[in-house]
Amino acid sequence: MTDCLFCKIINGKIPSDKVYEDKFTYAFRDINPVASTHILVIPKIHVNGLNDLKIENIDIMSKLTLSAQEIINTEGVKENGYRFVINSGMDGGQTVSHLHLHIIGGRKLKWPPG
Ligand code: AMP
Ligand code: ZN
């Protein structure tokens, strides 16, 4: 989508601190990190968010998860732990309408989230 921030990051129109890329996914450091590891993993095709996943495109979640596992290894947070977060909609705190998986790690995280 031409006016989507994350689509612009994927096609290089907006710079990003890339940590991983494959045929289906792209990952980069969050511009406003909440922990020493804070990475966003996104599908290369535009999907607004979790509400738009259905049986036909649910493989997007598998691809995000597999890419995230690679990143967790290279970031060195596999042993100590980390969190996967997908914010959805207004109450969920979603600010960018392109599906993204936050990988957050590198410190002891609080629960429940605020
Ligand atoms: P969410 O609030 O779940 O929609 O997450 C959006 C995330 O994108 C936030 O954590 C922002 O800090 C992050 N973000 C926004 N713009 C950029 C950017 N240009 N580069 C990297 N991260 C960004
Ligand atoms: Zn997009």
Side-chain angles (χ1 to χ4, degrees):
M1 242 167 77
T2 48
D3 61 344
C4 168
L5 173 66
F6 287 176
C7 283
K8 286 181 185 159
I9 284 181
I10 292 163
N11 65 30
K13 285 196 177 128
I14 290 176
S16 66
D17 188 356
K18 179 171 100 170
V19 294
Y20 179 87
E21 181 176 14
D22 62 26
K23 197 173 164 196
F24 305 106
T25 66
Y26 187 90
F28 54 103
R29 293 193 190 278
D30 197 293
I31 207 165
N32 189 18
V34 299
S36 55
T37 291
H38 188 171
I39 291 162
L40 302 174
V41 193
I42 63 179
K44 283 190 172 174
I45 57 166
H46 181 91
V47 179
N48 284 325
L50 276 181
N51 290 351
D52 296 300
L53 293 180
K54 34 190 171 310
I55 192 74
E56 292 79 21
N57 62 359
I58 197 65
D59 61 306
I60 288 172
M61 281 308 296
S62 321
K63 284 160 180 159
L64 292 180
T65 303
L66 287 170
S67 300
Q69 285 182 334
E70 294 281 335
I71 295 160
I72 284 153
N73 268 319
T74 52
E75 283 290 304
V77 295
K78 188 176 179 178
E79 287 275 295
N80 283 348
Y82 51 85
R83 197 169 284 167
F84 278 12
V85 176
I86 299 179
N87 296 322
S88 297
M90 268 210 311
D91 281 359
Q94 183 175 8
T95 59
V96 179
S97 292
H98 181 127
L99 180 65
H100 49 284
L101 170 66
H102 297 254
I103 302 171
I104 302 169
R107 67 172 170 83
K108 177 93 175 128
L109 299 167
K110 293 190 179 78
W111 190 263

